[in-house]
Amino acid sequence: MTTVTVRYMGNGISSLSVKGHADYAEYGQDIVCAAASVLITTCANALESVAGVSPITHVDERTAEIRVSLPDEHQQSHDAQIILRTTLQGFQDIAQQYPKNLQII
């Protein structure tokens, strides 16, 4: 199962982490893993290119984890929060359709 962990600071999201394999289909054909990967990658790219924030990223191939965090000075950035909340909405939509493959904590 893929787990999305949301961390908050005050009223805003400070980080999103995606970890694990969804086990929906065979490796390389798993649409849930692909969707989660696209969402978190787009989030990191949009934070930089749209919001002008250089996110702190962490990738661990061994545990299949990708984490995107906001630097402290950008925690309340309006544009960054819109991007993070939109990304979270995408994860919520996936979790609703595939509850056995993706969970949000």
Side-chain angles (χ1 to χ4, degrees):
M1 175 172 291
T2 296
T3 302
V4 176
T5 303
V6 185
R7 298 207 188 285
Y8 293 90
M9 181 174 280
N11 291 336
I13 298 172
S14 62
S15 73
L16 292 173
S17 174
V18 179
K19 185 176 182 180
H21 294 286
D23 295 324
Y24 177 78
E26 292 181 33
Y27 180 80
Q29 306 211 0
D30 193 318
I31 60 172
V32 177
C33 278
S37 295
V38 167
L39 274 173
I40 197 69
T41 301
T42 300
C43 177
N45 292 340
L47 285 169
E48 192 158 355
S49 66
V50 176
V53 173
S54 293
I56 301 163
T57 58
H58 169 80
V59 177
D60 185 337
E61 291 182 23
R62 183 181 51 80
T63 61
E65 179 182 15
I66 302 172
R67 184 174 56 244
V68 175
S69 304
L70 291 178
D72 288 342
E73 66 270 16
H74 294 289
Q75 291 292 322
Q76 299 306 315
S77 166
H78 177 74
D79 291 346
Q81 286 302 312
I82 289 173
I83 291 165
L84 288 165
R85 288 179 181 156
T86 301
T87 303
L88 178 56
Q89 181 62 56
F91 285 123
Q92 290 169 336
D93 293 344
I94 295 169
Q96 185 175 9
Q97 281 195 286
Y98 301 96
K100 295 179 181 176
N101 307 99
L102 189 137
Q103 70 174 352
I104 300 171
I105 57 174

